[in-house]
């Protein structure tokens, strides 16, 4: 039955954690967990009730479980309301109240468990018994002193034994704890009575209060013991609970010992032996399965503690023996006490060492400290409740009230402090806020209670006592709530999990320690009897035997602890493993040298590179933890070195695999060598770590550990640089992947931006980008085989397209109805993103290794996957609106038809469009007319479909797309039948069907936009307008078909169709829509030439009135006007074009078109009634068009702005170079701004000043040269403006040479400045001499002079630009001079400071002189050679310099 109860007890404890989680963070997952926990609770409660023999206990368990169920139902209901209205404070308050009620019910349920109730009864009994101590004075004792003393000793022994039984019972079954706690309570009552009786023997009030104080301490320690036992029995796996129980048991023993020492009068040495035996019995529990730390000692501290305590124990054992012989019993007692403390210290160190050995095993897991200690909160809760009961008890005396108030203040202060610490440690904002708020509630309610206690202390009236009772309620409630919150498993410590191997490693230490304790107990018992009868020889022999056993066990303990030092065994294993890896990499290097390294074909180079990079990074992350562990964390050393060694096998495999895929032999060897270096540095690190062993006091090993760690970091950095360089060859793949991932993450953002369009709008753009991605994926499949180097551009295009797709997909998902469709769209767009990432990564990998067949196969698979995912996106969009999706598909089909018709026009214009079977146009006329009428019917259905169901709209869109396809085919056949001899007529006919197709495309778009909209929506008006255009164009087609064979009218018909077409194009041009792309103003200017040609053609056709000329004019006019309008609109939206210029360009574009339309209509009038007067008016119409064209060209010129120039102009090239040089100088100056003098010990302030001077002077020069080059640019622009250097030079060679001189001078200034910055940097960092700095500064001055001369060649000396230029040049010269002076001063100062140590011995002095002379001669020769070299360089340069520069140099 006990087993059943224990199983049910665990099942009841489990839901508590779930309810805590749900009450703090209610959501669907927590709700499901709560429901499951309630089911478990119900079964467990029935199990407990069925297993108990007490009907009352069974009913109490079931009633408390029912309360939990009812409360939980209310809790879930309130949580649902709180989630519906998250900001409603009232619902949040109700939720908190219900959660408190459920928590209270759960605690009641736990308290009904067998054993728990008995512990509570025992606690209550101890509390009631302890009230006997709350009196001002005790009656005198009626018993003799010896009898009272004997009773106290017996009661103390019984209570100490009962405490041990309570500790033991927590590891047993629930019935055992019930019995043990009951016995403990009874023994405590007897002990308390014996203690009070003993206090009555005291002669003075002071002695009496001292005994009472000790009894109170024993009472408190006993309550803590029962609380700890209760906590451990409820949750045996609770962190640190076992340690707390052991500590509580020791506290009981120590407090009993203190009382015995105070009260009893035995033969000297006897009570010391009894106390020692009690202490040893208490600490014995530490050695039972030590899986928790018992102190903060490190492993090596444990060894030191054992050594020190063993020495103390040895001395005290000798003292025990010696003092027992001589009969010096006080000294004997003192030695027993010292030996007892030493044995406790040895046991504690042994238990801690065993724990550290256990967790240091690589298969074990170390525990870690929780945010709060739930047991501390539970103790405080218990103490505060008991104190509050005493406060409101009518029988409490004033001293009892003050004592209770002190307890409340002490514990509430501790709770508030614990809350403060917890809130500062936690990263959870909800928990942080809750701890702070709970602390405030406890503090406020405590303050209110203290006020009422003060009032009660002044007047013990019933009214004041009632106020005090009222004030305790909020305090108890606040403390209970805080205790419940603190028991959340989220804040609990995690106990260590010691493996079976770790337990085996602990065994020798534990066995030695247990043997030591056992033999020590026997030794003290034997010494106790010898103290009374020192003349007993057999007892002395027994004492010697026990002493020998204690010594042997301590020696065994020390040996075991030393042998089991954490990490040593793991270091040996790891060293062996890395040695094997080094041999493997050496074999691979030999194979690479002989060109016989086998290529790995089972994996792609990209995957290998990722593996290698991640392994190297992980190794890099372990370096510092291993160094830290080796210097002072022995318990972590084994874990860390084992982890490090585990990475080296995959490291070698990945490195050899990457090397095998590399085509370049040098790269192969670099990777293999660097991998070997990393392995060797790791080996060195392990040797150093093993030597250090985690001992913080082994200072002599710490330098070696630091050095090995640094070498290992450098090896990691080297191999990472190599891998990053290899990755950079892939291009910007990493950036692309990040861009796609970022776009995907935006899809998950809770609230998308406010939609600016409808689902249909976003549906259209998503379809467009999805199809673009599919096309790119297909191209990547092709290029992977033919041109892998082009994959980078395609991957970039895919990244851009996906970015747009994700944004539009998010909006489409937000506007889709129902929500399930939106979720489906979002999910599928995300899936497509994953596919794009994989494809981009494979593209990057293939660029690195273009011959890798495995990666090619992977890329093709990824491309196919992307195509499939695109189709899934499209199907999700279709589910959103089948009708509009069909419209999008139809529009795509029509776009394809228009493109096909453009191609047919090209063939017709080239004269290659011929009939295949000698057909005539008459054979196709009827078919064209019939299909055109069918298209009209489809158009009507399409227009009406916008207001009907999606299915009907989809059907109409599909039908119209099929019909236009058929009509285009029959019209093409009809045009071909006209024969290639009449290409212009062919073009007229194809243009007619092209107009119809474009009108249908616009109509489908308008239908899609108007779908499901009300009749008064603006999109409906657009639909009607599109329908009218469609009807007009179909009518025009029918007229054209009828007029094609009539030579007298077909020209006129073509002109009418063109006029209608131009009007429609003008409508599009005048719309507010912004073009998708822009073109340059030059393009707009170029397109006006077509208008000029078409105008001349129209005038000629109007004069000749020939149908052929009119047809040609009609066809040319179409293209010229259309191209001009498109180019004009695109150019007007070109970047940096002002609103005024844009409006002007659009106005003249419209005027030009209107003028041209008037011209064509006038030609149409002349065709119908040709008269000389009408023909004479053609010139006026053409002039109007020409005037509009001129205005349009001027507007385009204005678009270019004043900054626009001919890029081929030599002077422009010169200016560009000057500005480039200035940018280069500014970049160098920015680099200088970031420099700081190198860190070094302070010597002389002048030297430090010098380094600052170098930087300041170099910055000044950089700024001055930048200003100089910009001034040169301005001066050159002034020359162009003055005409001294023409935009298109008359003597190109002369001005070009001047420009070339200016360019080379600007480049020299930039190069010299860059060299100066490098020299300044090197000088500041201590890598270059002052001489190099001086030389660089002089070179800047020389190149500046050359630039000034080059600018002066054609300039006006009095111009503003030249003055600025001269001033800038002077500034550079001044800055250079400053730097030279500073550097020379430092160089001379350094020379003065250099002290020469002269040798005093004669022979040494002579040798020193000879060496100095030799060095001087050598330097003189080097100086002479350097002068010759400089002279040669200048001679070569002077050949290319003008005379002025040489004079300036001189």
């Amino acid at each position: 039955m006990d087993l059943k109860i224990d199983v049910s007890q665990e099942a009841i404890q489990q839901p508590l954690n779930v309810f805590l989680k749900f009450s703090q963070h209610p959501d669907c997952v927590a709700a499901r967990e709560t429901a499951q926990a309630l089911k478990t609770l119900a079964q467990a409660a029935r199990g407990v009730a069925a297993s108990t023999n007490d009907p009352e206990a069974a009913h109490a368990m079931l009633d408390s479980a029912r309360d939990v169920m009812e409360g939980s139902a209310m809790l879930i209901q309130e949580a649902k309301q709180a989630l519906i209205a998250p900001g409603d404070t009232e619902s949040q308050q109700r939720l908190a109240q219900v959660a408190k009620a459920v928590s209270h019910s759960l605690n009641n349920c736990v308290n009904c468990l067998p054993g728990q109730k008995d512990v509570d009864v025992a606690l209550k009994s101890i509390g009631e018994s302890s009230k006997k101590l709350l009196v001002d004075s005790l009656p005198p004792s009626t018993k003799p002193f010896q009898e009272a003393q004997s009773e106290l000793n017996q009661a103390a022994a019984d209570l100490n034994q009962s405490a041990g039984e309570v500790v033991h019972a927590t590891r047993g079954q629930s019935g055992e704890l019930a019995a043990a706690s009951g016995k403990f309570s009874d023994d405590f009552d007897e002990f308390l009575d014996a203690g009070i009786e003993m206090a009555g023997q005291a002669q003075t009030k002071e002695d009496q209060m001292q005994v009472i104080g000790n009894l109170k301490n024993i009472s408190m320690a006993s309550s803590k013991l029962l609380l700890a036992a209760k906590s451990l029995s409820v949750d045996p796996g609770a962190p640190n609970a076992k340690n707390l129980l052991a500590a509580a048991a020791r506290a009981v023993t120590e407090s009993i010992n203190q009382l015995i020492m105070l009260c009893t009068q035995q033969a000297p040495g006897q009570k010391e032996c009894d106390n020692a035996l009690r202490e040893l019995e208490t600490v014995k529990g530490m050695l039972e399965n030590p899986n928790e730390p018992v102190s903060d000692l490190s492993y090596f501290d444990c060894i030191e503690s054992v050594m020190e305590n063993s020495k103390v124990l040895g001395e005290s054992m000798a003292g025990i023996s010696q003092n027992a012989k001589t009969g010096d019993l006080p000294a004997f007692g003192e030695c027993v006490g010292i030996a007892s403390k030493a044995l406790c210290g040895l046991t504690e160190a042994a238990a801690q060492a065993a724990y550290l050995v256990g967790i240091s095993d690589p298969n074990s897991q170390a525990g870690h400290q929780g945010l709060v200690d739930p047991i501390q909160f539970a103790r405080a809760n218990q103490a505060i409740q008991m104190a509050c009961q005493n406060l409101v008890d009518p029988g409490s005396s004033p001293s009892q009230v003050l004592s209770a108030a002190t307890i409340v203040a002490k514990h509430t202060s501790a709770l508030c402090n614990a809350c403060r610490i917890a809130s500062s440690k936690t990263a959870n904002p909800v928990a942080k806020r809750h701890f702070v708020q709970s602390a405030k509630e406890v503090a406020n309610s405590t303050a209110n209670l203290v006020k009422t206690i003060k009032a009660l202390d002044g007047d013990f009236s019933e009214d004041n006592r009632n106020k005090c009772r009222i004030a305790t309620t909020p305090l108890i409630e606040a403390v209970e709530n805080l205790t419940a919150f603190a028991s959340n498993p989220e804040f609990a410590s995690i106990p260590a999990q010691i493996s079976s191997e770790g337990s085996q490693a602990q065994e020798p230490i534990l066995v030695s320690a247990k043997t030591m304790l056992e033999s020590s107990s026997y030794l003290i018992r034997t010494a106790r009897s010898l103290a009374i009868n020192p003349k007993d020889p057999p007892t002395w022999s027994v004492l010697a035997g026990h002493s020998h056993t204690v010594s042997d066990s301590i020696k065994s303990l020390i040996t075991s602890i030393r042998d089991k030092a954490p990490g040593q065994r793991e270091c040996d294993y790891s060293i062996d493993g890395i040695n094997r890896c080094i041999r493997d990499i050496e074999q691979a290097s030999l194979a690479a040298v002989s060109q016989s390294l086998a290529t790995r074909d089972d994996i792609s180079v990209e995957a290998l590179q990722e593996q290698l990079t991640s392994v190297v990074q992980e190794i890099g992350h372990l370096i510092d933890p291993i160094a830290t562990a080796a210097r002072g964390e022995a318990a972590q050393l084994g874990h860390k070195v084992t982890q490090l060694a585990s990475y080296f096998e995959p490291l070698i495999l990945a490195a050899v695999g990457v090397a095998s895929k590399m085509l370049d032999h040098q790269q192969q060897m670099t990777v293999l060598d660097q991998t070997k270096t990393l392995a060797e540095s790791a080996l060195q690190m392990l040797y150093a770590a093993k030597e250090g062993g985690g001992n913080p006091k082994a200072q002599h090993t710490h330098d070696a550990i630091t050095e090995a760690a640094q070498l290992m970091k450098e090896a990691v950095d080297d191999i990472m640089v190599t891998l990053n360089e290899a990755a950079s060859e892939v291009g910007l793949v990493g950036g692309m992947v990040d861009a796609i991932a970022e776009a995907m993450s935006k899809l998950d953002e809770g609230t998308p931006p406010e939609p600016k369009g409808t689902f249909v709008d976003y549906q259209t753009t998503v379809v467009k980008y999805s199809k673009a991605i599919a096309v790119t994926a297909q191209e990547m499949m092709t290029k992977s085989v033919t041109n892998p180097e082009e994959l980078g551009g395609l991957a970039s295009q895919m990244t851009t397209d996906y970015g747009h797709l994700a944004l539009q997909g998010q909006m489409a998902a937000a506007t889709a109805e129902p929500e399930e469709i939106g979720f489906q769209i979002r999910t599928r767009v995300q899936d497509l993103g994953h596919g794009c990432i994989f494809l981009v990564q494979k593209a990057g990998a293939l660029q690195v290794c273009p011959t890798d067949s495995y990666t090619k196969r992977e890329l093709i698979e990824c491309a196919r996957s992307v195509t499939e995912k695109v189709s899934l996106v499209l199907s999700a969009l279709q589910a959103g609106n089948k009708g509009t999706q069909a419209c999008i598909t139809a529009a795509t089909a029509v776009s394809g038809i228009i493109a096909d018709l453009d191609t047919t026009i090209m063939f017709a214009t080239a004269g290659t469009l011929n009939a295949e079977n000698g057909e005539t146009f008459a054979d196709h006329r009827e078919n064209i007319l019939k299909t055109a009428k069918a298209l009209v019917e489809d158009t009507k259905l399409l227009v009406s479909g916008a207001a009907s169901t999606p299915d009907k709209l989809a059907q109409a869109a599909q039908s119209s797309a099929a019909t236009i396809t058929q009509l285009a085919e029959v019209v093409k056949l009809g045009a071909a039948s006209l024969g290639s001899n009449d290409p212009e007529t062919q073009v007229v006919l194809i243009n007619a069907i092209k107009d119809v197709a474009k009108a249908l495309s616009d109509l489908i778009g308008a239908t899609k936009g108007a779908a499901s909209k009300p009749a008064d929506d603006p999109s409906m008006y657009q639909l009607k307008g599109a329908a009218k255009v469609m009807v007009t164009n179909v009518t025009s087609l029918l007229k054209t078909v009828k007029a094609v064979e009539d030579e007298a009218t077909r020209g006129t018909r073509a002109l009418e169709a063109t006029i209608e077409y131009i009007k429609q194009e003008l409508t599009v041009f005048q719309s507010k829509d912004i073009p998708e792309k822009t073109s340059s103003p030059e393009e707009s200017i170029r397109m006006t030439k077509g208008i000029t040609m078409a105008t001349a053609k129209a005038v000629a056709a109007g004069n000749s009135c020939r149908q052929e000329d009119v047809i040609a004019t009609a066809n040319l006019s179409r293209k010229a006007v259309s191209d001009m309008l498109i180019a004009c609109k695109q150019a007007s939206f070109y970047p940096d074009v002002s609103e005024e210029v844009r409006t002007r360009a659009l106005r003249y574009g419209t005027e030009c078109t209107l003028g041209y339309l008037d011209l064509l209509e006038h030609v149409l009038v002349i065709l119908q009634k040709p008269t000389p007067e009408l023909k004479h008016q053609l010139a006026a119409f053409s002039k109007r068009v020409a005037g509009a064209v001129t205005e349009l060209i001027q507007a385009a010129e204005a678009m270019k702005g004043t900054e626009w120039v001919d890029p081929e102009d030599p002077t422009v090239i010169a200016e560009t170079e000057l500005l480039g040089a200035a940018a280069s100088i500014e970049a160098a100056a920015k680099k200088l701004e970031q420099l700081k003098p190198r860190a070094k010990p302070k010597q002389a302030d002048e030297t430090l000043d010098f380094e600052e001077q170098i930087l300041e002077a170099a910055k000044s020069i950089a700024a001055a040269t930048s200003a100089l080059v910009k001034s040169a640019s301005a001066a050159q622009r002034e020359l162009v403006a003055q005409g001294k250097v023409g935009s298109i030079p008359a003597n190109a060679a002369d001005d070009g040479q001047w420009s070339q001189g200016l360019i080379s001078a600007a480049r020299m200034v930039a190069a010299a400045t860059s060299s100066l910055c490098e020299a300044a940097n090197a000088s500041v960092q201590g890598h270059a001499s002052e001489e190099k700095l001086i030389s660089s500064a002089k070179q800047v001055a020389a190149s500046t002079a050359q630039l000034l001369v080059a600018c002066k060649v054609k300039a006006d000396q009095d111009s503003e630009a030249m003055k600025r230029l001269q001033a800038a040049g002077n500034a550079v010269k001044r800055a250079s001079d400053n730097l030279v002076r500073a550097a020379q001063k430092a160089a001379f100062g350094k020379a003065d400071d250099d002290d020469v140590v002269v040798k005093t011995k004669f022979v040494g002095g002579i040798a020193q002189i000879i060496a100095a002379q030799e060095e001087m001669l050598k330097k003189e020769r080097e100086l002479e050679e350097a002068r010759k070299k400089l002279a040669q360089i200048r001679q070569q340069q002077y050949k290319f310099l003008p005379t002025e520069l040489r004079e300036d140099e001189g």
Side-chain angles (χ1 to χ4, degrees), residues 128-343:
E128 290 296 325
S129 300
S130 300
K131 287 183 180 179
K132 298 174 187 176
L133 303 173
L134 301 174
V135 292
D136 293 329
S137 62
L138 293 170
S141 174
T142 57
K143 295 180 182 178
F145 180 81
Q146 291 300 327
E147 186 184 343
Q149 179 179 303
S150 176
E151 285 179 2
L152 181 63
N153 281 334
Q154 185 58 46
D158 291 343
L159 183 62
N160 196 59
Q161 187 179 352
S162 294
E165 287 172 4
V166 167
V167 173
H168 183 73
T170 56
R171 295 195 284 270
Q173 295 173 340
S174 54
E176 293 179 29
L177 180 62
S181 57
K183 184 174 180 299
F184 182 83
S185 171
D186 294 341
D187 288 342
F188 178 81
D189 281 349
E190 290 181 13
F191 177 79
L192 195 66
D193 289 340
I196 290 172
E197 187 69 34
M198 200 69 199
Q201 299 281 344
Q203 300 299 314
T204 65
K205 177 80 172 175
E206 187 181 338
D207 290 344
Q208 193 178 72
M209 293 316 293
Q210 202 171 355
V211 174
I212 294 293
N214 275 324
L215 286 170
K216 285 180 179 177
N217 290 341
I218 294 168
S219 170
M220 188 175 291
S222 300
S223 297
K224 286 181 179 179
L225 174 66
L226 288 177
L227 276 171
K230 182 182 177 183
S231 300
L232 184 63
S233 68
V234 170
D235 187 5
N240 216 27
K242 198 178 83 171
N243 270 352
L244 289 166
L245 180 63
R250 283 182 73 182
V252 170
T253 302
E254 285 169 5
S255 55
I256 290 172
N257 285 349
Q258 284 175 3
L259 183 67
I260 297 296
M261 290 292 288
L262 179 69
C263 296
T264 60
Q265 291 177 358
Q266 291 178 336
Q270 296 299 296
K271 60 184 175 185
E272 285 87 351
C273 288
D274 290 342
N275 288 347
L277 288 170
R278 275 194 291 269
E279 284 177 355
L280 295 185
E281 187 64 31
T282 306
V283 297
K284 197 183 289 183
M286 283 186 184
L287 302 174
E288 297 295 330
N289 188 23
N291 60 353
E292 292 176 357
V294 295
S295 67
D296 293 331
L297 295 180
S298 70
Y299 194 79
F300 294 94
D301 290 339
C302 290
I303 294 177
E304 281 192 15
S305 176
V306 167
M307 296 297 289
E308 287 171 9
N309 282 307
S310 63
K311 186 179 175 184
V312 171
L313 181 61
E315 291 171 355
S316 58
M317 280 167 60
I320 288 170
S321 177
Q322 180 65 30
N323 291 317
K325 277 181 187 175
T326 59
D328 188 354
L329 295 182
F332 170 84
E334 190 178 337
C335 287
V336 169
I338 293 170
S340 172
K341 284 186 171 53
L343 283 165

